[in-house]
Amino acid sequence: SSTLGHKNISNLIRAFSIIRKKNKNINLVFTGPGTEVLNGVNSNNYLEIINENNYIYGLGYIKDRDINFLIKKAEVVVNCSLYEPGNGSGLDAWKIGTPVAMSNISSFKEHIKYLGVRAELFDPTSPKSIAKKIINILQMSKSKRKKNINHSKIMMKKIDWNLIIKDYIKFIDTI
């Protein structure tokens, strides 16, 4: 992610305060340029920056190897963008095997339609909607969770990324 406005992290932080009421043992981790300032706790619907007892962590930009490790260990990968050409973190999560919660925007819904992967969709303007879908994943039975993960991993193996890159190049050449 980043701290740019369209990434909508303020609504995710608000949603996280709802999630923490149900599950005190969960942390929120941000990665990407500028996110290293996001360390603290929820306090009355905003992020209080502190240096102790954090449960919200901003790691800044990290190496691919490290982000892959975090995605593999995550309970859920969340992308709450208001607009975006594609869900890069979701693509990584589906391939690695981590559940995805994402904005119900057309470009993200195309991933489900075109790739056949599974995700919880939420209204990115509603912290309650974001929280509800993340909680759905957190409370999902182990068998359903495993079934969804395996389905998405299988679907991601069917993608020929070289063909997709060639299609992008053809499209760009027509512009």
Side-chain angles (χ1 to χ4, degrees):
S1 188
S2 74
T3 56
L4 296 174
H6 75 282
K7 295 294 189 174
N8 195 34
I9 60 174
S10 60
N11 277 336
L12 180 55
I13 290 169
R14 287 183 183 98
F16 193 65
S17 67
I18 297 167
I19 295 165
R20 286 274 305 178
K21 289 176 184 169
K22 294 186 178 283
N23 185 343
K24 294 280 186 200
N25 296 322
I26 191 158
N27 296 312
L28 178 59
V29 179
F30 291 97
T31 62
T35 60
E36 58 276 356
V37 301
L38 301 172
N39 290 287
V41 298
N42 282 86
S43 181
N44 293 325
N45 232 1
Y46 65 90
L47 177 63
E48 183 179 344
I49 308 298
I50 62 171
N51 291 322
E52 55 188 49
N53 301 320
N54 291 353
Y55 51 81
I56 298 175
Y57 300 92
L59 304 180
Y61 180 81
I62 62 174
K63 296 178 182 177
D64 287 347
R65 182 190 83 236
D66 297 331
I67 193 69
N68 289 341
F69 176 81
L70 287 173
I71 290 171
K72 184 175 182 153
K73 295 296 182 181
E75 293 292 324
V76 58
V77 168
V78 182
N79 190 328
C80 56
S81 288
L82 297 170
Y83 54 89
E84 203 79 47
N87 184 354
S89 58
L91 292 170
D92 291 339
W94 290 313
K95 186 175 181 177
I96 291 169
T98 302
V100 174
M102 63 187 189
S103 298
N104 188 7
I105 58 175
S106 59
S107 57
F108 289 5
K109 290 189 293 187
E110 286 177 10
H111 288 308
I112 293 172
K113 183 179 178 184
Y114 181 75
L115 301 174
V117 292
R118 301 215 171 119
E120 289 281 338
L121 297 173
F122 54 73
D123 174 358
T125 65
S126 168
K128 286 182 181 178
S129 176
I130 297 168
K132 179 181 178 186
K133 297 303 181 157
I134 293 171
I135 290 168
N136 284 353
I137 292 173
L138 295 173
Q139 294 178 345
M140 191 178 289
S141 71
K142 286 184 181 182
S143 62
K144 183 175 181 182
R145 180 182 179 89
K146 186 174 182 176
K147 183 178 178 181
N148 286 345
I149 287 170
N150 288 339
H151 174 84
S152 293
K153 283 175 80 170
I154 289 167
M155 299 311 287
M156 290 299 292
K157 287 179 182 176
K158 293 180 178 182
I159 304 302
D160 182 345
W161 292 107
N162 290 326
L163 181 60
I164 290 173
I165 290 167
K166 287 177 185 175
D167 285 346
Y168 272 119
I169 292 170
K170 282 182 194 175
F171 174 73
I172 292 168
D173 285 343
T174 64
I175 297 177

